[in-house]
Amino acid sequence: MRPAAELDLPVRLERANGTPLHRQVAEALRAAVLDGSLPAGTRLPATRTLAARLGVARATVLTAYEQLSGEGYLEAGHGSGTYVNRHLPAVLAVDSRRPAAAPATGRSGQVLDLRPGRPDTRRLVDVAWRRAWREAAEVVPPADPPLQGLPALRAEIAAHLRAARGVPADPDDVVVTAGTGEGLALAVHALGLGGRPVAVEDPGYPAARRVLTRLGAALDPVPVDEHGVRVDVLAARPFAAALVTPSHQYPLGGVLPVDRRLALLAAARASAAVVLEDDYDSEFRFGLAPLPALAALDPAAVVHIGTFSKVLAPWLRAGYLLVPAALRAAFLDVREDLGTVVSGVQQQALAGYLASGALRRHIARSRRDHAHRRAHLTRLLAEQPTLRSRDSRAGLHAVIALPEGTAVPALLRDLAEEGVLLADLADYAVGAAPAEPAVVLGYGAATTAELDRAVAALAVRCRR
Ligand SMILES: Cc1ncc(COP(=O)(O)O)c(C=O)c1O
């Protein structure tokens, strides 16, 4: 492959045509990736070099690179440098400006898994990440990690919660977990929820329901509307705990209004119940002011459940609980019996990574990336009269309503035959199926070309 400096990049700028220069640079580079003149893995010139060659400010090239990275066309390489994403699917080797015909796939094509729950991990491994893990690997104490988690990591998590969520978190309240499921299991044991009613959202997160059911809790499904869980219904029944996703209802996307938040907390207090607040992806909001977390409104009544699965990677298996002081001993008793679950090396690495400010930077970068993908998806769906996005201004997935009468399982089987995997909204329901047929599409790790492919495939099957 030719060295970056020699690449003859096909960028021709027209200063008089009114399109911002960074957009012109991005469009030219995107077109070059799509038509194959910049093949996967090609190293791009340094921003300074390209800026000098084009006679534009370095910030112009930087913005174009950022945008294309957000869309998934470019990626940071090992060490330094920007490359054409090595994992681009073969389907990209067509001109995307052609109107989307039938999806270009088939059994031999690459599988495009857009079921929700997958963040983009391609830009995670950078200098800060490597340094944190290298330094963590050099410390090997002769004992188990502390039951509650490494003090340095708990301090960083508390600081993150204070800054990002406005939760008055104290490091002493933090318990490091191996993710949401493990945190929830700890809560069921510590709060003695076996055999007792636990309110869950319907539709809601099936994996969390499975944990509760397996450990003997009696699930009580509560309906959800466009604002989140129906607190009026929930509060009218007895409950020992309520598992909710107030900052971004999973999967429908509602943001629980403050009056419902307060009513939920009042109901919990009245029945001496605990609210389990699953705050799985609240870092990703787009033009939506954050509402106070339940744990910020009433720290004594809420166990706040956080995870690094969305902001970093599910591969880590790491998360945390914020436990009210009065309940801490019960949680630590369970932890003592079941043993520590998160490796000390991992905790050390995470503590170093957070302390360096890298998590904050990674979240900001990911938020920009997701905003590009979300905007692209919104545009694609707006062009399809038979597909309707239920607008959610947060998170990493979209719920797409399909024409009335669509048989979603058969549709998803057809799509899977073509290598496009989506989820059926009905699979999130406990009781009645959703009123309208819909699919759930995760765009956290998708390139814009992959979104083109998925929406085209979906639209072809939903023609009127
Ligand atoms: C509602 C909800 N909570 C939590 C999680 C994360 O779970 P974990 O921390 O076990 O990876 C997810 C992942 O998809 C989710 O959808």
Side-chain angles (χ1 to χ4, degrees), residues 116-118 177-183 201 204-208 243-245 248-251 278-281 305-310 313-315 317-320 397 428:
R118 291 163 174 72
T177 68
T180 305
E182 198 267 329
E201 297 169 334
Y205 183 38
L243 173 63
V244 290
T245 50
H248 183 222
Q249 202 279 326
Y250 192 81
D278 179 357
D279 206 47
Y280 65 108
D281 72 356
I305 307 176
T307 178
F308 289 110
S309 287
K310 306 284 179 161
W315 182 251
R317 304 316 310 147
Y320 48 88
H397 68 268
Y428 296 79

Side-chain angles (χ1 to χ4, degrees), residues 188-391:
V188 174
H189 291 305
L191 302 172
L193 296 177
R196 295 167 68 205
V198 175
V200 293
E201 297 169 334
D202 183 13
Y205 183 38
R209 290 201 299 267
R210 287 197 294 273
V211 171
L212 294 170
T213 305
R214 184 164 283 279
L215 297 179
L219 297 197
D220 185 11
V222 177
V224 165
D225 65 18
E226 73 272 24
H227 300 297
V229 69
R230 288 273 308 278
V231 174
D232 55 333
V233 177
L234 194 161
R237 306 174 187 169
F239 65 104
L243 173 63
V244 290
T245 50
S247 59
H248 183 222
Q249 202 279 326
Y250 192 81
L252 293 184
V255 177
L256 202 66
V258 167
D259 55 343
R260 285 201 202 177
R261 289 176 192 237
L262 296 174
L264 173 60
L265 292 167
R269 285 226 165 236
S271 351
V274 174
V275 177
L276 304 168
E277 176 177 35
D278 179 357
D279 206 47
Y280 65 108
D281 72 356
S282 63
E283 288 85 354
F284 299 122
R285 285 181 305 271
F286 311 109
L288 192 71
L291 287 173
L294 296 176
L297 293 171
D298 190 350
V302 178
V303 172
H304 184 86
I305 307 176
T307 178
F308 289 110
S309 287
K310 306 284 179 161
V311 290
L312 293 174
W315 182 251
L316 282 175
R317 304 316 310 147
Y320 48 88
L321 299 177
L322 201 57
V323 178
L327 301 175
R328 193 181 311 144
F331 276 75
L332 293 185
D333 280 353
V334 179
R335 187 36 77 69
E336 178 147 35
D337 291 345
L338 298 184
T340 301
V341 290
V342 187
S343 127
V345 179
Q346 154 129 320
Q347 294 193 47
Q348 214 128 253
L350 276 174
Y353 183 76
L354 267 67
S356 73
L359 177 68
R360 209 173 349 98
R361 288 194 295 276
H362 180 67
I363 290 175
R365 194 166 54 184
S366 303
R367 199 181 279 147
R368 283 198 299 274
D369 288 356
H370 294 133
H372 285 307
R373 288 169 201 163
R374 189 176 164 282
H376 187 74
L377 180 62
T378 305
R379 273 195 300 275
L380 288 176
L381 292 172
E383 287 164 8
Q384 299 297 340
T386 56
L387 304 179
R388 190 170 48 78
S389 171
R390 299 223 193 132
D391 189 35

Side-chain angles (χ1 to χ4, degrees), residues 69-72 74-76 85-88 119-125 362 373 444-447 450:
S69 301
E71 294 176 3
L74 305 183
E75 63 181 354
N85 182 354
R86 280 156 304 155
H87 306 292
L88 285 178
D120 191 350
T121 54
R122 282 172 295 209
R123 297 223 266 165
L124 180 57
V125 180
H362 180 67
R373 288 169 201 163
T447 64
E450 288 171 339

